[in-house]
Short mmCIF file of all heavy atoms in Angstrom, two decimals:
data_model
loop_
_atom_site.label_atom_id
_atom_site.label_comp_id
_atom_site.label_asym_id
_atom_site.label_seq_id
_atom_site.Cartn_x
_atom_site.Cartn_y
_atom_site.Cartn_z
N LEU A 11 71.45 136.88 75.74
CA LEU A 11 72.15 136.37 74.59
C LEU A 11 73.61 136.97 74.39
O LEU A 11 74.50 136.30 74.22
CB LEU A 11 71.40 136.55 73.19
CG LEU A 11 72.15 136.04 72.00
CD1 LEU A 11 72.33 134.53 72.10
CD2 LEU A 11 71.31 136.32 70.69
N HIS A 12 73.67 138.29 74.76
CA HIS A 12 74.92 138.95 74.77
C HIS A 12 75.89 138.28 75.81
O HIS A 12 77.08 137.99 75.27
CB HIS A 12 74.75 140.43 75.26
CG HIS A 12 76.08 141.19 75.35
ND1 HIS A 12 76.94 141.16 76.38
CD2 HIS A 12 76.58 142.07 74.34
CE1 HIS A 12 77.91 141.87 76.09
NE2 HIS A 12 77.78 142.50 74.83
N ASP A 13 75.38 137.95 76.85
CA ASP A 13 76.42 137.22 77.96
C ASP A 13 76.74 135.87 77.49
O ASP A 13 77.76 135.42 77.62
CB ASP A 13 75.68 137.18 79.31
CG ASP A 13 75.38 138.55 79.90
OD1 ASP A 13 76.07 139.54 79.43
OD2 ASP A 13 74.59 138.64 80.88
N LYS A 14 75.79 135.11 76.74
CA LYS A 14 76.03 133.86 76.30
C LYS A 14 77.15 133.93 75.14
O LYS A 14 78.04 133.01 75.17
CB LYS A 14 74.75 133.10 75.65
CG LYS A 14 74.94 131.74 75.12
CD LYS A 14 73.68 131.25 74.53
CE LYS A 14 73.69 129.79 74.10
NZ LYS A 14 74.51 129.66 73.05
N ILE A 15 77.00 134.81 74.26
CA ILE A 15 77.93 134.95 73.22
C ILE A 15 79.35 135.34 73.78
O ILE A 15 80.36 134.82 73.40
CB ILE A 15 77.47 136.08 72.16
CG1 ILE A 15 76.37 135.53 71.42
CG2 ILE A 15 78.61 136.41 71.23
CD1 ILE A 15 75.57 136.50 70.55
N ASN A 16 79.32 136.26 74.82
CA ASN A 16 80.47 136.66 75.41
C ASN A 16 81.21 135.37 76.03
O ASN A 16 82.49 135.26 75.91
CB ASN A 16 80.22 137.69 76.43
CG ASN A 16 81.64 138.33 76.98
OD1 ASN A 16 82.42 138.64 76.21
ND2 ASN A 16 81.58 138.64 78.20
N ARG A 17 80.48 134.60 76.77
CA ARG A 17 81.06 133.48 77.31
C ARG A 17 81.67 132.45 76.37
O ARG A 17 82.63 131.66 76.60
CB ARG A 17 80.10 132.76 78.33
CG ARG A 17 79.79 133.36 79.56
CD ARG A 17 78.89 132.46 80.45
NE ARG A 17 77.87 131.99 79.82
CZ ARG A 17 76.63 132.59 79.85
NH1 ARG A 17 76.41 133.69 80.43
NH2 ARG A 17 75.61 131.97 79.21
N GLU A 18 81.02 132.33 75.16
CA GLU A 18 81.42 131.38 74.14
C GLU A 18 82.39 131.82 73.19
O GLU A 18 82.81 131.22 72.22
CB GLU A 18 80.22 130.85 73.54
CG GLU A 18 79.22 130.06 74.51
CD GLU A 18 78.06 129.67 73.95
OE1 GLU A 18 77.67 129.93 72.64
OE2 GLU A 18 77.16 129.02 74.49
N THR A 19 82.89 133.10 73.26
CA THR A 19 83.91 133.68 72.32
C THR A 19 85.28 133.45 72.93
O THR A 19 85.48 133.53 74.03
CB THR A 19 83.54 135.21 72.24
OG1 THR A 19 82.27 135.40 71.66
CG2 THR A 19 84.63 135.79 71.29
N GLY A 20 86.15 133.06 72.01
CA GLY A 20 87.40 132.71 72.53
C GLY A 20 88.55 132.82 71.36
O GLY A 20 88.20 132.91 70.20
N ARG A 21 89.74 132.65 71.75
CA ARG A 21 90.93 132.58 70.88
C ARG A 21 90.99 131.21 70.19
O ARG A 21 90.95 130.22 71.03
CB ARG A 21 92.16 133.07 71.45
CG ARG A 21 92.08 134.61 71.88
CD ARG A 21 93.13 134.98 72.76
NE ARG A 21 94.43 134.87 72.01
CZ ARG A 21 95.54 134.63 72.56
NH1 ARG A 21 95.65 134.31 73.80
NH2 ARG A 21 96.63 134.67 71.86
N ILE A 22 91.34 131.14 68.92
CA ILE A 22 91.44 129.86 68.33
C ILE A 22 92.51 129.94 67.21
O ILE A 22 92.47 130.99 66.49
CB ILE A 22 90.20 129.34 67.82
CG1 ILE A 22 90.26 127.88 67.23
CG2 ILE A 22 89.53 130.25 66.80
CD1 ILE A 22 88.89 127.15 67.07
N PRO A 23 93.34 128.94 67.03
CA PRO A 23 94.33 129.01 65.87
C PRO A 23 93.59 128.96 64.64
O PRO A 23 92.50 128.18 64.49
CB PRO A 23 95.14 127.71 66.12
CG PRO A 23 95.04 127.32 67.55
CD PRO A 23 93.59 127.77 67.90
N TRP A 24 94.10 129.68 63.68
CA TRP A 24 93.33 129.66 62.29
C TRP A 24 93.32 128.13 61.63
O TRP A 24 92.27 127.84 61.05
CB TRP A 24 94.06 130.54 61.26
CG TRP A 24 93.63 130.44 59.97
CD1 TRP A 24 94.29 129.82 58.82
CD2 TRP A 24 92.33 130.81 59.46
NE1 TRP A 24 93.48 129.84 57.82
CE2 TRP A 24 92.29 130.44 58.02
CE3 TRP A 24 91.23 131.41 60.05
CZ2 TRP A 24 91.15 130.58 57.22
CZ3 TRP A 24 90.05 131.53 59.15
CH2 TRP A 24 90.06 131.15 57.88
N SER A 25 94.35 127.48 62.07
CA SER A 25 94.36 126.13 61.46
C SER A 25 93.12 125.30 61.95
O SER A 25 92.84 124.37 61.12
CB SER A 25 95.75 125.43 61.95
OG SER A 25 95.75 125.28 63.31
N GLU A 26 92.70 125.55 63.10
CA GLU A 26 91.46 124.79 63.50
C GLU A 26 90.17 125.27 62.73
O GLU A 26 89.18 124.61 62.81
CB GLU A 26 91.31 124.84 65.03
CG GLU A 26 92.44 124.16 65.66
CD GLU A 26 92.22 124.12 67.18
OE1 GLU A 26 91.00 124.13 67.60
OE2 GLU A 26 93.22 124.06 67.93
N LEU A 27 90.24 126.36 62.16
CA LEU A 27 89.01 126.98 61.32
C LEU A 27 89.06 126.54 59.85
O LEU A 27 88.20 126.92 59.19
CB LEU A 27 88.96 128.52 61.50
CG LEU A 27 88.80 128.95 62.96
CD1 LEU A 27 88.93 130.34 63.13
CD2 LEU A 27 87.42 128.50 63.53
N ALA A 28 90.19 126.00 59.39
CA ALA A 28 90.22 125.63 57.96
C ALA A 28 89.12 125.00 57.27
O ALA A 28 88.67 125.36 56.23
CB ALA A 28 91.66 124.94 57.72
N ARG A 29 88.50 124.06 57.98
CA ARG A 29 87.41 123.27 57.40
C ARG A 29 86.22 124.19 57.26
O ARG A 29 85.39 124.04 56.41
CB ARG A 29 87.22 122.00 58.17
CG ARG A 29 86.70 122.14 59.51
CD ARG A 29 86.46 120.69 60.23
NE ARG A 29 86.17 120.95 61.58
CZ ARG A 29 84.87 120.79 62.08
NH1 ARG A 29 83.88 120.54 61.15
NH2 ARG A 29 84.71 121.01 63.34
N HIS A 30 85.99 125.06 58.31
CA HIS A 30 84.87 125.98 58.24
C HIS A 30 85.08 126.98 57.06
O HIS A 30 84.02 127.23 56.34
CB HIS A 30 84.72 126.69 59.59
CG HIS A 30 84.38 125.83 60.78
ND1 HIS A 30 83.24 125.06 60.88
CD2 HIS A 30 85.21 125.28 61.75
CE1 HIS A 30 83.27 124.41 61.99
NE2 HIS A 30 84.45 124.52 62.43
N PHE A 31 86.18 127.43 56.84
CA PHE A 31 86.61 128.23 55.72
C PHE A 31 86.43 127.62 54.49
O PHE A 31 85.65 128.17 53.64
CB PHE A 31 88.09 128.74 55.80
CG PHE A 31 88.47 129.48 54.57
CD1 PHE A 31 88.04 130.74 54.30
CD2 PHE A 31 89.41 128.79 53.68
CE1 PHE A 31 88.47 131.48 53.17
CE2 PHE A 31 89.65 129.51 52.53
CZ PHE A 31 89.32 130.79 52.25
N ALA A 32 86.59 126.32 54.36
CA ALA A 32 86.47 125.55 53.03
C ALA A 32 84.98 125.54 52.74
O ALA A 32 84.63 125.46 51.64
CB ALA A 32 87.09 124.18 53.22
N SER A 33 84.06 125.55 53.80
CA SER A 33 82.74 125.38 53.53
C SER A 33 82.05 126.73 53.33
O SER A 33 80.81 126.89 53.08
CB SER A 33 81.91 124.64 54.81
OG SER A 33 81.99 125.41 55.94
N GLY A 34 82.84 127.88 53.47
CA GLY A 34 82.45 129.23 53.23
C GLY A 34 81.54 129.82 54.32
O GLY A 34 81.04 130.72 54.17
N SER A 35 81.91 129.24 55.51
CA SER A 35 81.04 129.78 56.77
C SER A 35 81.92 130.68 57.63
O SER A 35 81.33 131.09 58.75
CB SER A 35 80.44 128.65 57.51
OG SER A 35 81.52 127.81 57.86
N VAL A 36 83.07 131.09 57.21
CA VAL A 36 83.93 132.09 58.20
C VAL A 36 83.76 133.38 57.70
O VAL A 36 83.99 133.72 56.53
CB VAL A 36 85.34 131.55 58.20
CG1 VAL A 36 86.14 132.40 59.17
CG2 VAL A 36 85.53 130.04 58.62
N ILE A 37 83.31 134.24 58.58
CA ILE A 37 83.17 135.70 58.28
C ILE A 37 84.17 136.52 59.06
O ILE A 37 84.38 136.42 60.28
CB ILE A 37 81.70 136.13 58.74
CG1 ILE A 37 80.67 135.23 58.22
CG2 ILE A 37 81.42 137.50 58.50
CD1 ILE A 37 80.59 135.18 56.68
N TYR A 38 84.81 137.40 58.35
CA TYR A 38 85.78 138.34 58.88
C TYR A 38 85.13 139.44 59.56
O TYR A 38 84.15 140.15 58.90
CB TYR A 38 86.74 138.82 57.79
CG TYR A 38 87.50 140.16 58.07
CD1 TYR A 38 88.60 140.05 58.93
CD2 TYR A 38 87.06 141.37 57.55
CE1 TYR A 38 89.26 141.20 59.11
CE2 TYR A 38 87.76 142.47 57.83
CZ TYR A 38 88.92 142.44 58.72
OH TYR A 38 89.52 143.57 58.90
N VAL A 39 85.43 139.93 60.65
CA VAL A 39 84.99 141.18 61.40
C VAL A 39 86.18 142.05 61.59
O VAL A 39 87.18 141.53 62.24
CB VAL A 39 84.35 140.76 62.80
CG1 VAL A 39 83.86 142.01 63.48
CG2 VAL A 39 83.14 139.78 62.57
N SER A 40 86.13 143.26 61.13
CA SER A 40 87.30 144.19 61.27
C SER A 40 87.59 144.48 62.69
O SER A 40 86.68 144.44 63.48
CB SER A 40 87.14 145.39 60.41
OG SER A 40 86.17 146.31 61.15
N GLU A 41 88.77 144.95 62.89
CA GLU A 41 89.21 145.30 64.27
C GLU A 41 88.47 146.46 64.83
O GLU A 41 88.39 146.69 66.03
CB GLU A 41 90.80 145.55 64.33
CG GLU A 41 91.51 144.33 64.05
CD GLU A 41 92.99 144.60 63.93
OE1 GLU A 41 93.52 145.41 64.75
OE2 GLU A 41 93.86 144.00 63.14
N GLU A 42 87.93 147.28 63.89
CA GLU A 42 87.25 148.45 64.48
C GLU A 42 85.86 148.11 65.17
O GLU A 42 85.33 148.97 65.83
CB GLU A 42 86.97 149.47 63.28
CG GLU A 42 88.12 150.00 62.71
CD GLU A 42 88.79 149.11 61.65
OE1 GLU A 42 88.05 148.53 60.89
OE2 GLU A 42 90.09 149.05 61.67
N LEU A 43 85.29 146.93 64.85
CA LEU A 43 84.08 146.56 65.45
C LEU A 43 84.22 145.55 66.57
O LEU A 43 85.23 145.05 66.87
CB LEU A 43 83.26 145.71 64.35
CG LEU A 43 82.91 146.49 63.05
CD1 LEU A 43 82.07 145.67 62.01
CD2 LEU A 43 82.01 147.70 63.33
N ASP A 44 83.19 145.67 67.41
CA ASP A 44 83.07 144.69 68.57
C ASP A 44 82.68 143.45 68.19
O ASP A 44 81.46 143.34 67.86
CB ASP A 44 82.30 145.53 69.72
CG ASP A 44 82.28 144.65 70.98
OD1 ASP A 44 81.70 143.55 70.94
OD2 ASP A 44 82.63 145.17 72.01
N LEU A 45 83.27 142.47 68.31
CA LEU A 45 83.10 141.12 67.83
C LEU A 45 81.72 140.55 68.53
O LEU A 45 80.80 140.00 67.86
CB LEU A 45 84.17 140.10 68.12
CG LEU A 45 83.99 138.68 67.67
CD1 LEU A 45 83.67 138.53 66.24
CD2 LEU A 45 85.04 137.74 68.08
N ILE A 46 81.56 140.91 69.76
CA ILE A 46 80.36 140.34 70.57
C ILE A 46 79.16 141.08 70.01
O ILE A 46 78.11 140.46 69.79
CB ILE A 46 80.58 140.56 72.13
CG1 ILE A 46 81.78 139.98 72.61
CG2 ILE A 46 79.35 140.14 72.80
CD1 ILE A 46 82.12 138.59 72.52
N GLU A 47 79.26 142.41 69.79
CA GLU A 47 78.19 143.12 69.23
C GLU A 47 77.73 142.62 67.90
O GLU A 47 76.53 142.52 67.53
CB GLU A 47 78.51 144.71 69.26
CG GLU A 47 77.48 145.58 68.76
CD GLU A 47 76.16 145.65 69.65
OE1 GLU A 47 76.41 145.33 70.74
OE2 GLU A 47 75.19 146.03 69.14
N VAL A 48 78.68 142.46 67.01
CA VAL A 48 78.44 141.98 65.70
C VAL A 48 77.71 140.62 65.64
O VAL A 48 76.81 140.36 65.07
CB VAL A 48 79.76 141.89 64.86
CG1 VAL A 48 79.50 141.18 63.50
CG2 VAL A 48 80.32 143.30 64.61
N ALA A 49 78.30 139.63 66.60
CA ALA A 49 77.60 138.33 66.74
C ALA A 49 76.26 138.53 67.18
O ALA A 49 75.32 137.74 66.70
CB ALA A 49 78.40 137.48 67.80
N LEU A 50 75.99 139.36 68.08
CA LEU A 50 74.61 139.57 68.67
C LEU A 50 73.69 140.04 67.46
O LEU A 50 72.64 139.66 67.36
CB LEU A 50 74.64 140.62 69.85
CG LEU A 50 73.41 140.93 70.45
CD1 LEU A 50 72.71 139.73 71.15
CD2 LEU A 50 73.47 142.02 71.49
N ARG A 51 74.18 140.99 66.78
CA ARG A 51 73.24 141.52 65.64
C ARG A 51 73.12 140.49 64.61
O ARG A 51 72.02 140.49 63.94
CB ARG A 51 73.90 142.83 65.10
CG ARG A 51 73.85 143.88 66.28
CD ARG A 51 73.97 145.21 65.67
NE ARG A 51 73.83 146.16 66.84
CZ ARG A 51 72.77 146.75 67.20
NH1 ARG A 51 71.67 146.63 66.43
NH2 ARG A 51 72.73 147.68 68.12
N VAL A 52 74.15 139.61 64.39
CA VAL A 52 73.95 138.54 63.41
C VAL A 52 72.92 137.55 63.88
O VAL A 52 71.95 137.13 63.11
CB VAL A 52 75.31 137.84 63.00
CG1 VAL A 52 75.00 136.56 62.24
CG2 VAL A 52 76.27 138.84 62.26
N ALA A 53 73.00 137.31 65.11
CA ALA A 53 71.97 136.31 65.71
C ALA A 53 70.61 136.92 65.67
O ALA A 53 69.54 136.14 65.52
CB ALA A 53 72.39 136.11 67.13
N HIS A 54 70.37 138.15 65.79
CA HIS A 54 69.15 138.83 65.64
C HIS A 54 68.71 139.11 64.19
O HIS A 54 67.72 139.80 63.97
CB HIS A 54 69.06 140.15 66.54
CG HIS A 54 68.79 139.92 67.93
ND1 HIS A 54 67.47 139.93 68.38
CD2 HIS A 54 69.65 139.55 68.93
CE1 HIS A 54 67.49 139.74 69.65
NE2 HIS A 54 68.76 139.47 70.10
N ASP A 55 69.67 138.80 63.30
CA ASP A 55 69.37 139.07 61.75
C ASP A 55 69.06 140.56 61.57
O ASP A 55 68.18 140.93 60.77
CB ASP A 55 68.22 138.17 61.25
CG ASP A 55 68.17 138.20 59.75
OD1 ASP A 55 69.33 138.33 59.17
OD2 ASP A 55 67.09 137.86 59.25
N ASP A 56 69.90 141.45 62.16
CA ASP A 56 69.80 142.84 61.98
C ASP A 56 70.42 143.15 60.68
O ASP A 56 71.51 143.59 60.66
CB ASP A 56 70.61 143.55 63.13
CG ASP A 56 70.50 145.07 63.11
OD1 ASP A 56 70.16 145.66 62.20
OD2 ASP A 56 70.97 145.71 64.08
N LYS A 57 69.52 143.08 59.68
CA LYS A 57 69.98 143.38 58.28
C LYS A 57 70.53 144.82 58.05
O LYS A 57 71.50 144.90 57.26
CB LYS A 57 68.83 143.09 57.26
CG LYS A 57 68.47 141.71 57.19
CD LYS A 57 67.25 141.57 56.32
CE LYS A 57 66.92 140.10 55.95
NZ LYS A 57 66.48 139.31 57.17
N GLU A 58 69.95 145.81 58.81
CA GLU A 58 70.41 147.12 58.52
C GLU A 58 71.99 147.24 58.89
O GLU A 58 72.79 147.86 58.20
CB GLU A 58 69.60 148.02 59.39
CG GLU A 58 69.84 149.53 59.12
CD GLU A 58 68.99 150.43 59.95
OE1 GLU A 58 67.71 150.17 60.12
OE2 GLU A 58 69.50 151.58 60.37
N SER A 59 72.24 146.79 60.13
CA SER A 59 73.75 146.86 60.63
C SER A 59 74.63 146.07 59.78
O SER A 59 75.68 146.42 59.31
CB SER A 59 73.74 146.54 62.08
OG SER A 59 73.10 147.39 62.85
N ILE A 60 74.15 144.83 59.42
CA ILE A 60 75.03 143.91 58.64
C ILE A 60 75.24 144.57 57.38
O ILE A 60 76.36 144.53 56.79
CB ILE A 60 74.35 142.54 58.54
CG1 ILE A 60 74.32 141.85 59.92
CG2 ILE A 60 75.00 141.61 57.59
CD1 ILE A 60 73.23 140.64 60.02
N THR A 61 74.33 145.10 56.69
CA THR A 61 74.39 145.69 55.29
C THR A 61 75.34 146.82 55.33
O THR A 61 76.21 147.03 54.57
CB THR A 61 73.02 146.23 54.74
OG1 THR A 61 72.17 144.94 54.74
CG2 THR A 61 73.16 146.82 53.43
N LYS A 62 75.23 147.66 56.40
CA LYS A 62 76.17 148.77 56.62
C LYS A 62 77.56 148.41 56.75
O LYS A 62 78.46 148.92 56.20
CB LYS A 62 75.72 149.69 57.76
CG LYS A 62 76.51 151.00 58.14
CD LYS A 62 75.98 151.72 59.24
CE LYS A 62 76.34 150.98 60.45
NZ LYS A 62 76.23 151.70 61.72
N TRP A 63 77.91 147.44 57.58
CA TRP A 63 79.13 146.87 57.87
C TRP A 63 79.68 146.23 56.58
O TRP A 63 80.94 146.44 56.30
CB TRP A 63 79.17 145.94 59.05
CG TRP A 63 78.89 146.55 60.26
CD1 TRP A 63 79.18 147.84 60.72
CD2 TRP A 63 78.20 145.87 61.47
NE1 TRP A 63 78.76 148.02 62.03
CE2 TRP A 63 78.14 146.82 62.48
CE3 TRP A 63 77.74 144.56 61.68
CZ2 TRP A 63 77.62 146.47 63.71
CZ3 TRP A 63 77.16 144.33 62.88
CH2 TRP A 63 76.99 145.27 63.86
N MET A 64 78.85 145.58 55.84
CA MET A 64 79.39 144.86 54.58
C MET A 64 79.75 145.99 53.56
O MET A 64 80.84 145.79 52.86
CB MET A 64 78.39 143.89 54.07
CG MET A 64 78.22 142.60 54.93
SD MET A 64 76.93 141.51 54.33
CE MET A 64 77.76 140.86 52.95
#
Side-chain angles (χ1 to χ4, degrees):
L11 182 58
H12 181 279
D13 292 346
K14 179 181 185 299
I15 291 169
N16 192 39
R17 284 191 308 273
E18 295 175 357
T19 297
R21 296 171 63 213
I22 186 168
W24 172 251
S25 59
E26 293 185 29
L27 296 169
R29 68 184 174 96
H30 299 287
F31 170 72
S33 71
S35 61
V36 182
I37 307 296
Y38 162 79
V39 178
S40 76
E41 293 178 36
E42 294 83 41
L43 298 177
D44 181 298
L45 180 60
I46 307 301
E47 181 68 21
V48 173
L50 181 63
R51 294 198 178 261
V52 169
H54 275 269
D55 198 23
D56 180 349
K57 289 179 177 60
E58 185 178 325
S59 294
I60 294 166
T61 301
K62 179 180 74 169
W63 292 328
M64 288 178 74

